[in-house]
Amino acid sequence: ARQSKLGQKIFVNSRNAAAGTLRQLDPKITGSRPLTICIYALVNANSIKNITRQSESLKFLRSVGFKTSNDTELATGRASALAVFRDFEKRRDNLPYDIDGVVFKVNDLRLQESLGSVARAPRWATAFKFAPDEEVTRVLAIDVQVGRTGVLAPVARLEPVFVGGATITNATLHNMDEIMRKDVRVQDTVVVRRAGDVIPEVVRVVLSARKPNSLPYQMPTDVPDRARLTRIAQLIHFCSRQAMNIDGLGDKLIQQFVANKLIYDFADIYKLTEADLIALPRLGEKSARNILTAINSSKDTTLPRLIFALGINGVGHATAQSLAEEFASLEDLGQASTIELEEIPDIGPVLAGNIAEWFATPANELLLNNLVEAGLVWPTPVKVKTIKHDVKLTCVITGTFSELPRELLKERLKTKGI
């Protein structure tokens, strides 16, 4: 309401507004926005006299002046917990903040300590999510996109609709089997939601609103210039943040590079010059230098990141990490048999075949050699070993770093077993 009164941009949702406010470089802007906080946990609460339960820790926090949520309930047994969940589900729209579910915690702090945690998830707490918000909109068109493996992926272009804190205009339809299962057609009225409050999806078709002359969607067997589009998708993946993290090389710029025949494969990125970039429309000297700096910085990488960036079908972050730890070098990985690959946890026959086939392709072998010649370097990875400490150790990376991106520093720490 205040933003509207001032004639300024209205925030889309409270979570993003709060996060954006805290990240403001100008502290005056942060200070001008009335943020508040509810404290929900007390670290080492059982070290304070007479506190043995979660409920008692909240009571203590309130007694010393901290704000806690008034919307907490003590439940005993399954039926009681379910009743609490149903109650919050009914009241969620009237709460003074947004929620997407209810977290149940073991009340006894000694039991919490005994149960412990796995990775980031405590065994003594679990979240029960509400059904995601759903809205009705219309399918304006169904387009086909080409992925980095060459697979055709249908996408529904939707009449813009606000769902779960964001305006939805597109939703993936995954494949033809999914389209047939839901019988999605152009001009259909559909129910959409954000799966996990994140990914837009078409839930179902409102058949009662379907036009009489509606025809089933026919998936094209191919699309024009499929090879070029596949190559563009591969290059975009290679430059993405979780791959080589080349800041400034976005989708549109990569499309321009390919259209102007400046790059064909990954190694060509490292051959770009300032003159190449300045020749492109709306790209000045400063932007060109920034991009070249980002390209040069990406040469200092890690083996898991590089393996992921190669875009091998089915190889995600976790698999790339496992492969790097197991084989330690690209040469060893390239010579691995499918039997050796299948011995790695979570790698089955299909994925092992994909990996072996990629490295057995002569063009890919040449590509890797060209990347090394371009100056890409990475430390030899080691199998991550958990370091045992007398106290719980949390390593936090914060601030701005001129040499290495934060994700790369994180990976370097992991190789040290931290």
Side-chain angles (χ1 to χ4, degrees):
R2 189 189 69 169
Q3 292 292 103
S4 179
K5 186 177 180 180
L6 294 173
Q8 298 177 3
K9 183 179 178 181
I10 298 174
F11 300 127
V12 176
N13 60 63
S14 57
R15 179 175 58 185
N16 291 353
T21 297
L22 292 173
R23 291 194 183 104
Q24 290 292 322
L25 296 177
D26 185 351
K28 291 180 181 178
I29 297 177
T30 304
S32 71
R33 296 177 183 172
L35 296 183
T36 188
I37 186 171
C38 284
I39 305 299
Y40 61 88
L42 178 61
V43 178
N44 293 331
N46 52 9
S47 66
I48 300 175
K49 189 178 180 181
N50 299 327
I51 296 183
T52 61
R53 297 179 179 277
Q54 177 82 13
S55 53
E56 292 169 357
S57 70
L58 292 175
K59 185 178 179 181
F60 170 79
L61 285 165
R62 286 192 289 268
S63 72
V64 295
F66 285 104
K67 182 177 180 180
T68 64
S69 173
N70 295 322
D71 301 296
T72 57
E73 301 283 348
L74 186 59
T76 304
R78 181 190 181 106
S80 176
L82 184 58
V84 169
F85 178 80
R86 296 302 184 205
D87 178 55
F88 274 107
E89 196 170 32
K90 293 176 183 176
R91 296 196 292 123
R92 65 182 294 197
D93 291 337
N94 297 319
L95 294 173
Y97 42 75
D98 293 332
I99 62 172
D100 62 358
V102 174
V103 177
F104 292 100
K105 300 179 181 179
V106 171
N107 199 28
D108 190 316
L109 297 179
R110 287 167 297 186
L111 283 177
Q112 285 189 13
E113 189 172 350
S114 297
L115 288 165
S117 303
V118 288
R120 298 181 181 180
R123 290 192 180 97
W124 48 266
T126 186
F128 274 57
K129 299 285 190 176
F130 300 134
D133 290 337
E134 296 181 347
E135 296 292 342
V136 175
T137 187
R138 192 163 56 93
V139 178
L140 302 178
I142 297 178
D143 294 339
V144 175
Q145 293 182 339
V146 181
R148 59 185 172 85
T149 60
V151 174
L152 301 181
V155 177
R157 306 300 182 191
L158 306 172
E159 200 168 76
V161 61
F162 192 78
V163 186
T167 299
I168 304 301
T169 56
N170 304 312
T172 179
L173 295 171
H174 302 289
N175 50 49
M176 192 58 202
D177 288 342
E178 182 77 352
I179 293 178
M180 291 175 64
R181 185 177 70 82
K182 294 179 178 178
D183 191 19
V184 180
R185 306 179 184 183
V186 177
Q187 297 301 321
D188 267 352
T189 298
V190 294
V191 176
V192 296
R193 68 183 177 197
R194 295 174 70 202
D197 280 339
V198 177
I199 303 169
E201 69 171 345
V202 174
V203 182
R204 61 185 177 276
V205 175
V206 181
L207 293 175
S208 60
R210 174 171 284 170
K211 296 180 179 179
N213 60 348
S214 173
L215 295 173
Y217 175 74
Q218 295 294 323
M219 183 90 162
T221 56
D222 205 349
V223 297
D225 217 1
R226 184 174 183 174
R228 184 182 66 86
L229 294 173
T230 301
R231 188 154 33 92
I232 289 173
Q234 291 171 342
L235 288 162
I236 290 171
H237 171 78
F238 183 84
C239 298
S240 64
R241 183 177 178 181
Q242 293 180 315
M244 298 306 291
N245 191 30
I246 305 179
D247 190 32
L249 278 191
D251 300 11
K252 291 182 179 179
L253 199 52
I254 289 172
Q255 289 170 9
Q256 281 185 284
F257 287 156
V258 174
N260 287 276
K261 298 182 179 180
L262 291 173
I263 59 175
Y264 182 83
D265 60 24
F266 306 148
D268 291 335
I269 292 170
Y270 298 95
K271 298 175 185 176
L272 290 169
T273 66
E274 187 173 332
D276 291 332
L277 299 180
I278 294 175
L280 295 174
R282 296 184 297 278
L283 199 63
E285 291 183 11
K286 184 177 179 181
S287 297
R289 285 194 294 268
N290 288 342
I291 291 170
L292 290 174
T293 298
I295 291 173
N296 194 53
S297 297
S298 74
K299 293 178 182 179
D300 190 353
T301 187
T302 66
L303 186 54
R305 188 180 280 270
L306 176 58
I307 293 171
F308 173 68
L310 295 176
I312 303 170
N313 192 9
V315 175
H317 301 102
T319 303
Q321 181 70 46
S322 298
L323 289 170
E325 289 177 10
E326 186 66 31
F327 296 101
S329 72
L330 280 176
E331 291 78 13
D332 291 345
L333 176 56
Q335 294 169 11
S337 67
T338 54
I339 295 174
E340 290 175 305
L341 291 167
E342 285 182 53
E343 290 176 356
I344 300 174
D346 299 325
I347 294 183
V350 175
L351 182 51
N354 291 344
I355 297 168
E357 182 183 359
W358 195 95
F359 282 96
T361 303
N364 292 334
E365 183 181 359
L366 178 62
L367 171 63
L368 291 176
N369 289 335
N370 289 340
L371 286 172
V372 172
E373 288 181 7
L376 266 67
V377 293
W378 55 87
T380 301
V382 296
K383 287 193 175 183
V384 176
K385 296 179 180 178
T386 303
I387 299 176
K388 292 185 178 180
H389 300 277
D390 294 332
V391 295
K392 292 181 179 179
L393 177 66
T394 301
C395 187
V396 179
I397 301 171
T398 186
T400 302
F401 300 89
S402 58
E403 298 297 327
L404 295 174
R406 189 164 316 198
E407 286 298 317
L408 196 54
L409 285 171
K410 181 179 175 182
E411 290 167 16
R412 293 284 173 87
L413 286 170
K414 282 184 178 180
T415 64
K416 303 296 183 184
I418 296 176

